Amino acid sequence: MSIETVLHMNTGNGESSYATNSYLQEHGIQRALHVTNEAINRMCNDLGGFPGVFKIADLGCSSGPNALLGISNIISRVHDMCNENNFEVPQFQVFLNDLFENDFNIIFRSLPTFYAKLKNGEGDHCGPCFVSAVPGSFYSRLFPNKSIHLFLSSYAVHWLSRVPQGIENNKCNIYMAKTSPTNVFEAYRKQFEKDFTKFLRLRSQEIIRGGRIVFTIPGRSISDPTSEDCCIIWELLAKSLVDMVKEGRIPESDIDSFNIPYYTPYEDEVRDVIKKEGSFLIDNLYSFALDWEPYNSDNGKMDVADRPIRGKNTAKLIRAVIEPMMATHFGNSIMDMVFYKFEEHVVHHLSAREGRNFNLVISLTKH
């Protein structure tokens, strides 16, 4: 299974699409906004303003409304800085990056609305904005040397370049889990360290001196790799697949040969890799937790009557993210049944405890 051909979100704008079911990521982008704004402020101060053409790259942009949300926020902040300091507003060159199977077309169709909102929000002084796509893996070179001023990435860098090797003994699991053997945790950690180091090294060649990277990823709140705030959602999905085995719908070997190329690091793991790679300084590392369905929560409290709808919406959110990869491995025909069972497991989980995931926002400066 080639990661570059199967790692993409559900396309289009239908009921199971990522465009329709990415509200958690949207909420996370907004929670990270103050870190992005701070990075822009510091870069402006360091450079004494903005260059004539301000080049921004969004790595792992995906599709749907979130694809341009972070870019809109950046452009708005740059305009505010220019107005506050009497700087000339730059032109904006925006590069949207994701793997080759990403649904770039849905982004392109939204550009007229994006441009109209920019014009309406910033008025006649709005700097021209030029948007283009750069398909390819961010574990390879994407841009010329010293060409990008600001890299942004929201919920992408936690995806690995490949499934870790040597984890064939991770029986009846699809990610790190409480029942995983010790070598599985070590293999995932090593793959993350290798990939994240390469990511930083490549970006260090493409970014200007004094440029910034701001990225948001799901992580975990404690060093234990089976922390519930990062792994339980995948354990529930694995249970759904085991249910299918018990019913004779799929062989157990299909589960044993499927693992997700994904890693949710602890804060110290992120710091260690950045320090060892050596190209960047950490300006800010901010963490926060989000309910699985953040727009249906009331200060962390959940009414019993809300559990079924929250379970359904959480199942749709995860389906939008992982279905293309699962369908390639297990087949399209069982997807509806798998995610129906997953929804039931989520509802049962929510009857006992809250469903929350942990997030890290990291802001880096190029030496």
Side-chain angles (χ1 to χ4, degrees):
M1 182 171 63
S2 171
I3 296 300
E4 292 193 10
T5 59
V6 300
L7 179 51
H8 61 89
M9 309 298 104
N10 270 346
T11 59
N13 54 11
E15 183 179 354
S16 297
S17 69
Y18 183 77
T20 304
N21 297 286
S22 53
Y23 47 84
L24 185 143
Q25 292 87 342
E26 176 189 357
H27 201 67
I29 290 170
Q30 298 291 17
R31 287 285 298 271
L33 180 58
H34 73 280
V35 178
T36 306
N37 287 345
E38 180 184 279
I40 294 170
N41 294 351
R42 289 185 175 185
M43 181 164 53
C44 177
N45 291 334
D46 291 349
L47 300 178
F50 294 100
V53 179
F54 189 53
K55 297 180 181 180
I56 310 161
D58 187 341
L59 304 177
C61 64
S62 194
S63 59
N66 293 344
L68 293 167
L69 177 59
I71 299 300
S72 296
N73 290 336
I74 290 169
I75 293 175
S76 177
R77 183 57 196 155
V78 171
H79 273 272
D80 289 345
M81 288 289 293
C82 290
N83 291 334
E84 292 167 9
N85 296 280
N86 199 28
F87 293 145
E88 183 176 350
V89 176
Q91 299 179 73
F92 298 94
Q93 189 168 14
V94 175
F95 303 99
L96 302 177
N97 157 259
D98 213 311
L99 293 174
F100 299 100
E101 295 298 323
N102 185 57
D103 191 356
F104 286 104
N105 283 334
I106 198 170
I107 305 175
F108 296 152
R109 286 193 290 270
S110 70
L111 283 177
T113 301
F114 169 74
Y115 289 134
K117 286 183 177 179
L118 280 184
K119 185 71 173 177
N120 183 59
E122 308 302 339
D124 294 335
H125 298 292
C126 180
C129 182
F130 307 94
V131 178
S132 59
V134 181
S137 170
F138 49 56
Y139 294 121
S140 62
R141 280 294 299 267
L142 295 167
F143 304 100
N145 289 346
K146 301 177 182 178
S147 60
I148 303 298
H149 299 97
L150 175 62
F151 281 109
L152 178 71
S153 185
S154 301
Y155 298 100
V157 180
H158 61 290
W159 290 107
L160 303 175
S161 66
R162 58 166 299 148
V163 174
Q165 293 179 297
I167 59 171
E168 294 80 6
N169 59 339
N170 196 27
K171 303 295 185 182
C172 292
N173 294 310
I174 61 174
Y175 182 50
M176 299 185 301
K178 290 179 177 63
T179 58
S180 295
T182 304
N183 70 288
V184 172
F185 306 128
E186 185 68 7
Y188 266 102
R189 183 187 61 80
K190 286 184 175 179
Q191 188 63 48
F192 168 75
E193 288 181 353
K194 179 181 178 180
D195 284 343
F196 189 38
T197 298
K198 186 174 185 180
F199 173 87
L200 293 172
R201 186 175 69 248
L202 294 169
R203 302 295 81 78
S204 73
Q205 298 169 41
E206 298 167 341
I207 198 169
I208 68 163
R209 184 177 182 180
R212 261 61 176 184
I213 301 178
V214 181
F215 61 97
T216 304
I217 55 174
R220 61 182 192 267
S221 59
I222 57 176
S223 61
D224 181 359
T226 64
S227 171
E228 192 163 284
D229 54 18
C230 72
C231 295
I232 188 62
I233 198 76
W234 304 114
E235 292 185 28
L236 297 177
L237 185 54
K239 283 184 180 181
S240 307
L241 290 166
V242 170
D243 290 344
M244 301 290 281
V245 171
K246 292 176 180 177
E247 295 173 5
R249 298 178 185 271
I250 59 172
E252 186 173 316
S253 60
D254 278 5
I255 306 178
D256 296 342
S257 58
F258 181 81
N259 286 282
I260 300 171
Y262 175 104
Y263 190 70
T264 41
Y266 181 50
E267 176 181 322
D268 287 353
E269 293 175 323
V270 176
R271 290 184 184 276
D272 287 347
V273 174
I274 294 169
K275 183 178 180 179
K276 288 177 183 177
E277 195 281 328
S279 298
F280 296 91
L281 296 174
I282 298 176
D283 282 336
N284 197 344
L285 200 159
Y286 166 69
S287 62
F288 62 92
L290 284 178
D291 287 349
W292 287 346
E293 205 200 7
Y295 291 142
N296 273 358
S297 64
D298 180 18
N299 296 321
K301 299 178 181 179
M302 177 176 54
D303 193 281
V304 173
D306 291 336
R307 289 173 189 156
I309 187 63
R310 292 187 69 184
K312 183 179 184 68
N313 288 343
T314 299
K316 288 166 65 177
L317 184 152
I318 297 300
R319 182 173 186 171
V321 170
I322 203 65
E323 183 173 20
M325 189 178 297
M326 289 185 62
T328 299
H329 185 83
F330 295 101
N332 281 304
S333 62
I334 70 165
M335 289 297 101
D336 286 344
M337 180 60 71
V338 168
F339 284 100
Y340 174 75
K341 292 179 180 297
F342 178 56
E343 178 185 327
E344 292 184 321
H345 282 300
V346 172
V347 171
H348 179 73
H349 175 81
L350 292 175
S351 69
R353 59 183 68 89
E354 288 292 326
R356 297 172 69 81
N357 77 318
F358 192 76
N359 302 264
L360 297 171
V361 188
I362 301 95
S363 175
L364 306 176
T365 301
K366 177 69 169 69
H367 275 313

